[in-house]
Amino acid sequence: MGNAPWNGPLFIVGLPRSGTKLLRALLNNHPRIHIPSTETEFLPIWIAEWDRYGDLADYANFKSFHQRSVRLPYFNYQLGYGRPVDPRTWYASCRDYSVAGVFEALVRHDTGTLHNAGVIWGDKSPTYIRYMAPIAGTFPGARVIHIVRDVRDYCLSVENAWGKTKVRAAQRWVDSILGARQVAARLRGRYMELRYEDLLTDPEAEITRICRFLGVDFRAAMIRLDGPSEGVGDARNQSRIVQENSGKYLRKMRRRDLAAVEAIAGQLLRDMNYSLALPASERKRVRPALMRLYQLCDGVSFLRFMIRRRGIAPALRHWLGGVARIARLRGARLLEKTTMP
């Protein structure tokens, strides 16, 4: 990996409710690591649509690009934090006007990190687990940390938080991990996988392992939280690592649901050194038509959650924005046409 200090980008990925926020909070306690507090979520769209924006070295094009970009949810969140980026500042801080150059300039602006500061910059967006290949192709020096949670607790968590379907969650868990590992085989040592449960039980060992991967020194402050990292679920509003936030499926998951989840994910659970609660059964895959039906139900459940949390109008904007983002990515067929070095 060379003798010069590595300065990013670092991408933290993993399914939602799998500990990505906790991991970001712990890593941000290191003075050489700066990850934004808001998930960007738009990078795959930029990669897919970049040619449409024209030559951004032309400031008129860049200003138009800025006007389109600030409508994305990320920029609304940044506005709430008092950190909106103006087009002139953003333009001037770009080392070049490729996807990589413009994205880096934005993240460095929003984390207050200069190009020559010797600081590792990056992003924590769980959905990027599906787009690791195009992101790695855009950033050939990027490193990826993938955090995985026991599928049974993951299924409980997405149901409790958002009312989502456990069967679909289990199938997505399997597909995301297997897909990430396929890309990891081509990343040549730039990919690291860890289990959420190991981070809870022995945070010092896991953070030390991450520090070696990133080429930074371990700091004791990295295993403490300065404030809550989670806003929903059993760990919400906790300013500590909740070590008991695992194995809840043993108490809270009905046997019928447990059998269904382990039938889908049992083989991968064993491969990742998780113990099965029930006798091993033949692996089953959820049919595509049923996955689409569950996806529709999950979308309605998530909209209800957002309405309760934010009100009707903001919830609809957020939900429709998510639907539009998925449609744009599917239309661009990003995954099918991406190559990696």
Side-chain angles (χ1 to χ4, degrees), residues 266-337:
Q267 182 58 56
L268 189 52
L269 278 168
R270 292 194 296 270
D271 291 347
M272 299 193 69
N273 295 318
Y274 289 108
S275 299
L276 297 185
L278 300 175
S281 58
E282 182 181 355
R283 181 182 173 185
K284 297 180 180 179
R285 181 172 184 86
V286 184
R287 296 191 305 275
L290 196 53
M291 285 291 285
R292 288 192 290 271
L293 176 60
Y294 287 147
Q295 182 180 20
L296 177 62
C297 294
D298 287 352
V300 172
S301 296
F302 185 71
L303 178 59
R304 288 173 177 165
F305 164 80
M306 293 299 295
I307 290 173
R308 291 194 302 270
R309 190 178 180 88
R310 298 184 182 179
I312 294 177
L316 281 173
R317 285 196 299 270
H318 183 95
W319 187 79
L320 290 172
V323 172
R325 178 171 59 86
I326 292 170
R328 289 167 70 182
L329 287 168
R330 286 180 176 170
R333 299 182 64 83
L334 180 62
L335 297 179
E336 289 87 340
K337 64 185 182 183

Side-chain angles (χ1 to χ4, degrees), residues 11 51 56 59 82 86 120 160 235 283 292 296 298 302:
F11 291 97
D51 291 343
L56 295 191
Y59 183 67
D86 65 87
I120 296 171
N160 292 339
R283 181 182 173 185
R292 288 192 290 271
L296 177 62
D298 287 352
F302 185 71

